[in-house]
Amino acid sequence: MDILIQQLFNGLTIGSVYSLVALGLTLVYGILHIPNFAHGALYMLGAYVTLTMMLLWNVPYWISMAISVLVVGLLGVLMDRLVFHPLRHAPPIHDKIAAIGMLLFLEAFAQLIWGADYRTMETPYGQVIDLFGMTVTMQRVLINIGAVAVMILLYLFLKKTYIGATIIAMAQNREGANLVGINTNRVAMLTFMISGGLAAIAASLSAPINLVFPGMGHLVILKAFVIIILGGMGSVPGAILGGYILGFTESLGATYISNDYKDIIAFLLLVIILSIKPKGLFSREGF
Amino acid sequence: MMSFLKKRGWVFGLILLAIVFPFLSQNDYFLHVLTLSFIWMIAVYGLNLLAGYTGYLSLAHAGFFAVGAYALGLLTVKAGINYWLALVLACLITCAIGFLVGLVALRTKEHFFAIYTLCVGYIIYLVIDKWDSLTGGVRGLIGIPAPANIGPIAFDTDLSQYYLILFFLILTVLVMYRIVHSLSGRTFIAIRNSEELAQTIGISTMKNKLLAFVLSTFFAGLAGALYASFIRFIGPDIGYITIIFDFLTYLLVGGIGTLAGPIVGTFLIVTVSQSLQFLQDYRMLIFGPLLTLLIIFYPRGIAGAFIDWRMKRSLKKSVAMKQKKRYVQPQADSDTEKRIKEG
């Protein structure tokens, strides 16, 4: 029983991180219909920027994270402007390949600057606490609280603000949004900014319990794709729900099935879902 | 025959150059690199048939490459089967797995297909990596034999293997030429241009897509099997996603959906990255942006850009001719137009 609760908590933690990454991915997909393979690289860079801030200039954890959000968000905007914008009217195969090109570049870039070795990130919240009979580190609790807070903020932003409404409008109908006077280019840039920022938050939160290395985005991004297919491409609640489903499945699968094959679980899940429903589990209905 | 020679003369020139190359350069290293690039080319041709001609971007082909390599390795090392039989079996096994995957994967479209195949590729990699008792896990598989003798011809030297793989490459190009210019090839292009339209005019799209998928896994498997017997050692890394990105780079730089593309792209990138050896892990710093820029400005790669340029020139010429002579040349005109439409 103890193990079960512990594993459920672990699943919650992993799920929070996955959800944040998948949220960024699903936002971009909803707006531009691009499966952004380079999103994993943004996640990886988010961790590195935070790490560098903390190590090099001894910037406090939270401020480092804020800087990282800003830097990676701007990188996302740059990506949109330089690559996806010119490809707007290209066949769908092209922006996938362009995204792969950027992924390769950003990975090589990280390896050039920070080296290929695995690094650990120190956290000011390393202490172990007792939570409802479980012994967990403060950082894990923080990941859960942080992720949920960010999700609520994002939800409020999308539903309650004017700018958020323009994003939703554009996701629902690009031409229509254009007709009523929404600057779709600006909304696209904003979406990329948010998407990059979410990746940076997810990476900065989870880096202390994982390792930081150039290839750290690979598995996470693959799983994020699984999640957004699970939750319906472009759906925000779907991404959150899918993230937690995958998190729980994985941590329970690792305990009760096999730790070696825990990564396969996610992909098998996807293969099964797409085999039964080729268009994903839920069809998209604009957030 | 003469006009064919005139038109396709450069093809024979290239083949001749490839045949005499070992005598021009005594450098074993070049020979090794060239042989490797031939193997990549075969795999890239497979990918080209699916992504370039049928319009389905499969990210599982590194996995199929690895399946071919491991099938040959396991059959020869663990089962002790004759090499040539193992080679045939390796291709068939890859096709069989490709058939099963394709059956399900091809029900999905566009982004879903790319993501689905990406996950299939990753599953293949993980299975190879974790299934220790069969594949040797991270340690890999060693002691794969070189191709067995055919009568008096032995394949134990680098030179003989070079010719063997060159032979397979030429065979691949020939087969690919036949496929693309057959009714099936035309059907693939029709599916790429518009699947709905193809369906409307009575093409069984699923059957043809599956055919393209299985054919393309066949070439990936063949390349993998040849790779295994050439390098004599394989590890799970050959199925990792970075390999499919390499294939894509070769294909994109050369020209997706063109017959010359795989050769041009692979040769260029392999030679350039060999001369940039000092960059090793950082070569993607150059190739990543290159790939992206290429997709934006030259979506059909070097070969595609060349074909477009030649077509435009011939169009201009015919227009100029028309103005000069004041009569229409329906034959040449409709021919160019047809080629433009077929892309």
Side-chain angles (χ1 to χ4, degrees), chain A residues 228-251:
Chain A
I228 65 172
I229 285 180
L230 203 73
M233 301 276 267
S235 151
V236 167
I240 296 171
L241 196 70
Y244 283 114
I245 292 177
L246 191 69
F248 285 126
T249 322
E250 238 184 68
S251 72

Side-chain angles (χ1 to χ4, degrees), chain A residues 29 33 35 83 94 96-98 100-101 105 111-112 218-219 222 225 233 260 264 267 270-271 274-275 278, chain B residues 104 107-108 110-112 115-116 118-119 122-123 126 130 240 245 252 281-282 284-285 288-289 291-292 295 299:
Chain A
Y29 185 84
H33 294 264
V83 182
H94 288 180
K96 271 176 282 196
I97 293 163
I100 289 172
F105 169 71
Q111 199 168 335
L112 179 74
H218 280 180
L219 263 180
L222 283 175
F225 272 119
M233 301 276 267
D260 269 359
I264 295 190
F267 303 121
L270 176 102
V271 166
L274 280 185
S275 307
Chain B
V104 184
R107 294 174 62 210
T108 60
E110 287 179 7
H111 306 321
F112 290 103
I115 295 165
Y116 187 98
L118 187 66
C119 289
Y122 209 81
I123 289 176
L126 282 176
K130 305 283 185 205
Y240 198 59
F245 293 159
L252 259 293
D281 296 332
Y282 307 117
M284 283 305 167
L285 274 181
L291 190 68
T292 313
I295 266 298

Side-chain angles (χ1 to χ4, degrees), chain B residues 154-175:
Chain B
F155 295 103
D156 45 3
T157 62
D158 270 3
L159 190 68
S160 53
Q161 287 222 11
Y162 170 86
Y163 282 120
L164 179 73
I165 290 167
L166 179 65
F167 168 75
F168 275 113
L169 176 66
I170 293 173
L171 210 62
T172 304
V173 179
L174 272 179
V175 170

Side-chain angles (χ1 to χ4, degrees), chain A residues 238-281:
Chain A
I240 296 171
L241 196 70
Y244 283 114
I245 292 177
L246 191 69
F248 285 126
T249 322
E250 238 184 68
S251 72
L252 293 180
T255 334
Y256 295 109
I257 301 175
S258 156
N259 196 27
D260 269 359
Y261 289 97
K262 77 167 188 296
D263 288 334
I264 295 190
I265 294 170
F267 303 121
L268 280 181
L269 202 66
L270 176 102
V271 166
I272 292 166
I273 290 170
L274 280 185
S275 307
I276 299 164
K277 299 203 81 167
K279 288 197 171 149
L281 213 48

